[in-house]
């Protein structure tokens, strides 16, 4: 299997222009010795300034993105090179990880890495950055023949069965929301073949991510036996 | 099921006496405005001072403990109150989470919470702290009838099959190593009924944790249907 894992509309971005001069951002900027445009938007530090941002409830949670990425990049399926990871962000930049790239488990190092990538937007390397919508991403980069998105608004299906379909596809993509609250945009929703729900309760991104990759891994190992 | 999840010999502790006056710790202490005995030992900051600690390679990775705990506490099985989490640490303190307690996804908040708990050692509350070995823990607190520990040195078994046994036990315990390198101590190894390996490659603690809890959850849901 060559699985594309897309963390969509992720709550990962540099502090946007509108609030760069706000008190919470200014004090964080001084404390860290970095310019406001070099700092990740983070609700833990910028909460009081975030209310005026549109769709504020979906933004500024790099911690959540970090844990979701660790839960994918720690799996044997990923480490063996069978998963391509794309972090599509709320403002429309995509971070693509070179296959098998490990990301730092230490949050402060992860933050530094993401800030550097988003400021410099390198065209190649372990993390490359470019502008893309989820529809463009699926069309150009992952060229997927089966696309499944996971959402509490989807139709309840058994994850084992869904993962079997995914593992048997040639170039499947799975889409998981990289935001803490709310739902996929209509743009993202135009992409998947099916919107699937795998639990009665809403699950955090890292829980969905680790379960999907694990189930796909199990099926693909059975197929290779 | 009433599952005890034990993260054993975890790389989580306050800076130990021997290196409290070392340059790396002193500068971290100044930077954070905290006394050296109030700070978590962290290889990201204290690497140069850690070499002289015994079994240094197993210690000072609170980030790893954080991700492993998130991977358990985000699951429906935990959120429904069926998992009791014990973080047994390298120096022999245990942090017990009140069932269903959420832990901060933000690492800096998690660090603050752990530092407070280890300094104050509260006897009750969301996180209670006491001194215990893994054998004592299993005997007194979790009173387990089936105890499985996961290790690359174990006998290869299918995780689905193992999890079925666990889910069918009355008060099972699973033990996962909360350290980055090395193996369980002989003290810890005296506890489990079986030492089980679930992959060809060594897996990170959070990967084992999320897979075990997920498989146990699947079986216990099927049993309740």
């Amino acid at each position: 299997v060559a699985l594309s894992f897309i963390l969509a509309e992720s709550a990962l971005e540099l502090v946007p222009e509108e609030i760069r001069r706000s008190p919470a951002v200014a004090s964080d900027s001084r404390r860290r010795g970095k310019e406001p445009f070099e700092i990740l938007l983070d609700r833990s530090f910028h909460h009081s300034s975030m209310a005026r941002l549109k769709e504020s409830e979906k933004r500024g949670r790099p911690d959540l993105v970090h844990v979701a990425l660790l839960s994918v990049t720690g799996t044997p399926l990923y480490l063996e090179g069978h998963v391509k990871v794309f972090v599509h962000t709320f403002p429309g930049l995509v971070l693509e990880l070179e296959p098998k790239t490990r990301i730092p488990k230490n949050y402060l190092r992860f933050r530094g890495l993401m800030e550097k990538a988003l400021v410099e937007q390198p065209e190649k390397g372990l993390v490359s950055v470019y502008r893309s919508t989820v529809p463009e991403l699926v069309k150009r980069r992952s060229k997927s023949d089966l696309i499944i998105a996971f959402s509490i608004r989807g139709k309840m299906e058994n994850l084992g069965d869904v993962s079997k379909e995914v593992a048997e596809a040639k170039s499947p993509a799975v889409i998981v929301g990289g935001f803490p609250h709310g739902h996929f945009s209509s743009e993202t929703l135009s992409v998947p073949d099916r919107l699937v729900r795998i639990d009665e309760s809403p699950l955090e991104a890292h829980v969905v991510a680790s379960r999907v990759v694990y189930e796909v891994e199990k099926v693909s190992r059975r197929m290779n036996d």
Side-chain angles (χ1 to χ4, degrees), chain A:
Chain A
V1 69
L3 177 67
S4 291
F5 179 90
I6 301 172
L7 199 65
E9 303 175 41
S10 302
L12 180 81
E13 63 183 301
L14 296 170
V15 171
E17 184 113 45
E18 309 98 280
I19 63 166
R20 277 190 204 146
R21 291 157 181 277
S22 68
V25 170
S27 89
D28 190 31
S29 160
R30 266 196 310 277
R31 199 173 47 83
R32 294 191 53 203
K34 287 192 143 198
E35 296 294 328
F37 65 84
E38 297 172 321
I39 290 176
L40 288 187
L41 181 67
D42 188 332
R43 184 169 294 281
S44 291
F45 304 111
H46 312 139
H47 179 72
S48 60
S49 305
M50 284 181 64
R52 73 178 100 154
L53 294 178
K54 69 169 179 142
E55 297 184 75
S56 158
E57 76 289 352
K58 284 176 85 170
R59 302 166 71 177
R61 289 297 304 274
D63 55 333
L64 178 161
V65 174
H66 183 217
V67 179
L69 288 179
L70 289 174
S71 74
V72 175
T73 57
T75 62
L77 195 71
Y78 177 83
L79 294 169
E80 289 160 11
H82 303 300
V83 186
K84 216 160 178 197
V85 172
F86 301 90
V87 184
H88 168 265
T89 65
F90 182 88
L93 283 176
V94 172
L95 296 94
E96 181 176 330
L97 302 189
E98 177 115 326
K100 303 189 197 182
T101 300
R102 305 302 303 266
I103 60 163
K105 248 189 294 298
N106 180 281
Y107 174 68
L108 300 178
R109 291 191 184 182
F110 171 76
R111 181 172 72 177
L113 185 74
M114 291 297 105
E115 286 171 344
K116 192 168 184 301
L118 289 169
V119 168
E120 297 179 0
Q121 303 192 14
E123 282 178 26
K124 43 184 151 179
L126 297 180
V127 182
S128 56
V129 178
Y130 46 88
R131 185 159 288 281
S132 173
T133 64
V134 174
E136 286 164 2
L137 186 61
V138 168
K139 208 166 164 189
R140 293 195 202 156
R141 299 274 172 159
S142 80
K143 298 193 177 81
S144 302
D145 51 343
L146 175 67
I147 306 169
I148 305 286
F150 294 91
S151 166
I152 191 75
R153 289 190 171 168
K155 189 167 153 283
M156 181 74 92
E157 296 192 41
N158 177 283
L159 180 57
D161 298 339
V162 176
S163 302
K164 189 160 181 295
E165 279 181 76
V166 170
E168 287 169 357
K170 207 174 146 214
S171 181
V174 296
I175 303 177
V176 174
F179 43 84
H181 300 288
H183 300 282
F184 288 126
S185 69
S186 52
E187 185 177 79
T188 300
L189 284 173
S190 71
V191 170
D193 298 308
R194 296 212 305 279
L195 195 65
V196 170
R197 171 182 187 159
I198 59 170
D199 204 275
E200 293 295 336
S201 317
L203 299 177
E204 296 179 358
H206 71 96
V207 177
V208 180
S210 61
R211 293 180 173 198
V212 170
V213 174
Y214 173 50
E215 291 284 7
V216 172
E217 181 185 302
K218 281 203 289 185
V219 179
S220 72
R221 287 192 167 178
R222 250 182 273 136
M223 288 164 60
N224 292 334
D225 270 353

